[in-house]
Amino acid sequence: MSAALSIDAWKSQAAGLAYRNQAFIDGHYVAAASGETFDCINPATGKVLTRVAACDNEDVDRAVRAARAAFDKGVWSRRSGAERKKVLLRFAELIDEHATELALLETLDMGKPIRDSSKIDIPLSAACIRWYAEAIDKVYDEIAPTGPEAISLIRREPLGVVGAVVPWNFPLLMASWKIGPALATGNSMVLKPAEQSPLTALRIAELAAEAGIPAGVFNVVPGFGETAGQALGRHMDVDCIAFTGSAEVGKYFLKYAGESNMKRVSLECGGKSPNIIMADAPDLDAAATAAAWGIFFNQGEVCNAGSRLIVEESVKDRVLEKVMAVGRKLQPGDPLDPKTAMGAMVDVTQLHRVLDYIEVGEKEGAKLVLGGQRVRGETGGYYIEPTVFDQVDNRMRIAQEEIFGPVLATISFKDPDEAVKIGNDTIYGLAAAVWTRDITKALKTARNLRAGVVWVNCFDNGHISSPFGGFKQSGFGRDKSLHAMDKYTELKATWIHIGN
Ligand code: NDP
């Protein structure tokens, strides 16, 4: 079992890894038409792992044409739910069988601890694909209550070609949240992974083929956002873009759609999630521990990270002390060490972006009470200490902008209405949490917080059956749950006149 491996065992397996570094189009690995490649860097060392095909318009067009041809032939789109289920279950099984290799690829590529990639990212990716496989032969269509002279069949049909553009923070998991429902409902796909983390997407392409997903149905085009991503967003024969990433790039996809074929767009664009701890929380220590993990997990590179700790003034010092105690223990380490709970930032750009925000926080007058420094610089990697600011005003940039690093902004409040007001006072609305033992206060706060998910007396809990997505500029459309299938299907009414 991968979780039981020692650091030496992980390192020796890493040394023997082979990387898939070409695009996967129409069932084959191919170089980019231009022959261009880009460096794929290990953020734990700053060293190049491999060079990956840099896809552009021509490659994206080939992938979309292959996806369309497969869709039109019906090799996948017209197979029964039960048949697609069988293939997708095998696909999930193959991901599980290759979990050690995939976890290594994820950790080497984006710097997250191996204990997370092996216990969270890869198993949850397989579980997600399995869940949609299991669901697809159990969802029924509808008949409208039109009256006796007609029968209106309301059917959900696959859209056609789905373009998925995903980020680097949970590379395979974010892709799987789109692959599961898009393929289960019969679409063809073109997936563009982030330039920082293309390796697992490229590896699972051949596992998909091995499982029996026909050529052309699942394609992967690595490359840059401005080239490969934009080409997909503007393509006239892509029916839908499913995106996860920054709000800034999410808005580009709306523009691309408007300037091309009005393709459907769904956006999951991050947040600045408020984690509200009331003085009457059932267990303040548990709340503080969850608050620390809520911001430091995955190096803070989490769209729903609890980056704003909004805590009742009377208990603030006690909560903050515990948060810092957890933070002190979470010092970054070698991601391949199974004991490491915090790894490296994804790349040098993200490292400097986070360090710049720490400087901004100090200049804005917030009080730095923990961390704030780059560490382990001698490794060549991009590590930052768990960082906590106290005395933050919600109008500060560190309270308003998505930092995407291990940086917590602490804001205090005196009454619950004020907490909700502060919680809602950002452009985002992805997630929020409230800690209180008073059920009325909990439900009222949950109702009044404008967010797609509100946790009560916990943080970042979830299940594949429960939808995930945002309000406001956190985007629209939902990943996970049966609702995600709506994104990848079109309603068709077939009206049959039968007369009196
Ligand atoms: P981006 O939003 O830039 O990247 C997300 C995806 O969009 C990647 O596949 C990227 O490709 C692609 N992309 C980037 N620019 C374009 C473009 N002009 N047209 C089409 N596609 C594009 O996130 P970053 O990686 O740059 O991170 C910046 C910030 O975004 C983070 O600090 C964080 O605040 C936020 N973010 C939020 C995430 C979330 O889960 N909500 C995830 C990742 C980032 P490529 O990487 O190849 O350029």
Side-chain angles (χ1 to χ4, degrees), residues 66-241:
R68 176 62 64 192
F71 186 80
D72 289 346
K73 267 191 251 155
V75 287
W76 183 251
S77 54
R78 283 192 222 118
R79 284 169 79 175
S80 69
E83 287 172 309
R84 288 201 294 263
K85 164 180 162 175
K86 199 169 158 206
V87 173
L88 288 172
L89 286 178
R90 179 65 190 136
F91 183 25
E93 198 173 67
L94 283 170
I95 292 176
D96 276 336
E97 284 171 15
H98 293 82
T100 301
E101 179 195 354
L102 290 165
L104 263 176
L105 288 174
E106 207 76 305
T107 285
L108 293 172
D109 210 5
M110 71 71 68
K112 69 169 65 202
I114 193 73
R115 73 176 213 182
D116 291 349
S117 49
S118 62
K119 288 189 191 158
I120 299 171
D121 294 68
I122 309 305
L124 289 188
S125 299
C128 170
I129 291 168
R130 187 175 294 117
W131 194 84
Y132 286 102
E134 289 287 3
I136 196 59
D137 63 348
K138 297 169 191 70
V139 271
Y140 286 65
D141 289 328
E142 302 163 31
I143 296 178
T146 50
E149 75 286 358
I151 294 176
S152 176
L153 307 175
I154 305 173
R155 302 202 56 217
R156 285 212 164 263
E157 297 190 347
L159 294 175
V161 178
V162 170
V165 179
V166 296
W168 41 259
N169 55 343
F170 294 89
L172 188 57
L173 187 57
M174 292 303 101
S176 300
W177 284 6
K178 316 219 185 287
I179 295 168
L183 290 187
T185 47
N187 296 281
S188 295
M189 273 189 101
V190 179
L191 169 66
K192 195 208 85 68
E195 77 203 46
Q196 295 87 345
S197 57
L199 297 180
T200 45
L202 290 170
R203 178 66 177 104
I204 63 152
E206 69 185 329
L207 298 181
E210 189 183 333
I213 292 175
V217 172
F218 182 62
N219 308 276
V220 183
V221 286
F224 299 110
E226 303 80 54
T227 49
Q230 176 159 197
L232 206 50
R234 289 189 181 278
H235 202 289
M236 293 300 285
D237 207 21
V238 169
D239 298 288
C240 151
I241 287 285

Side-chain angles (χ1 to χ4, degrees), residues 390-472:
D390 190 8
Q391 296 171 20
V392 175
D393 183 303
N394 198 53
R395 284 162 298 189
M396 292 177 181
R397 282 182 61 201
I398 58 163
Q400 290 292 322
E401 297 173 22
E402 190 178 37
I403 299 175
F404 232 59
V407 182
L408 182 66
T410 310
I411 303 161
S412 55
F413 69 89
K414 289 203 178 89
D415 75 81
D417 290 342
E418 189 193 355
V420 171
K421 203 164 157 230
I422 297 168
N424 284 334
D425 185 15
T426 77
I427 61 166
Y428 296 109
L430 185 59
V434 55
W435 299 76
T436 172
R437 69 176 74 227
D438 179 335
I439 184 73
T440 306
K441 213 182 338 172
L443 291 175
K444 212 166 147 186
T445 308
R447 183 194 66 193
N448 293 340
L449 283 166
R450 296 190 63 207
V453 186
V454 181
W455 293 291
V456 176
N457 295 332
C458 60
F459 195 88
D460 203 10
N461 294 25
H463 190 264
I464 187 68
S465 59
S466 188
F468 183 82
F471 284 25
K472 302 194 279 180

Side-chain angles (χ1 to χ4, degrees), residues 267-350:
L267 303 172
E268 197 274 86
C269 293
K272 198 72 197 173
S273 302
N275 185 6
I276 300 174
I277 302 184
M278 312 264 187
D280 64 353
D283 179 343
L284 277 176
D285 279 355
T289 302
W293 281 100
I295 183 64
F296 302 137
F297 169 62
N298 210 48
Q299 303 73 244
E301 296 165 328
V302 181
C303 49
N304 58 255
S307 48
R308 288 184 301 149
L309 172 60
I310 302 177
V311 54
E312 195 156 345
E313 202 167 78
S314 58
V315 294
K316 188 197 75 177
D317 289 345
R318 180 174 158 194
V319 168
L320 211 46
E321 223 165 85
K322 178 76 185 177
V323 168
M324 291 194 291
V326 176
R328 274 185 214 103
K329 283 196 197 142
L330 273 179
Q331 288 310 307
D334 184 339
L336 286 179
D337 184 340
K339 290 195 212 79
T340 294
M342 199 165 149
M345 306 308 296
V346 74
D347 64 10
V348 73
T349 309
Q350 193 63 13

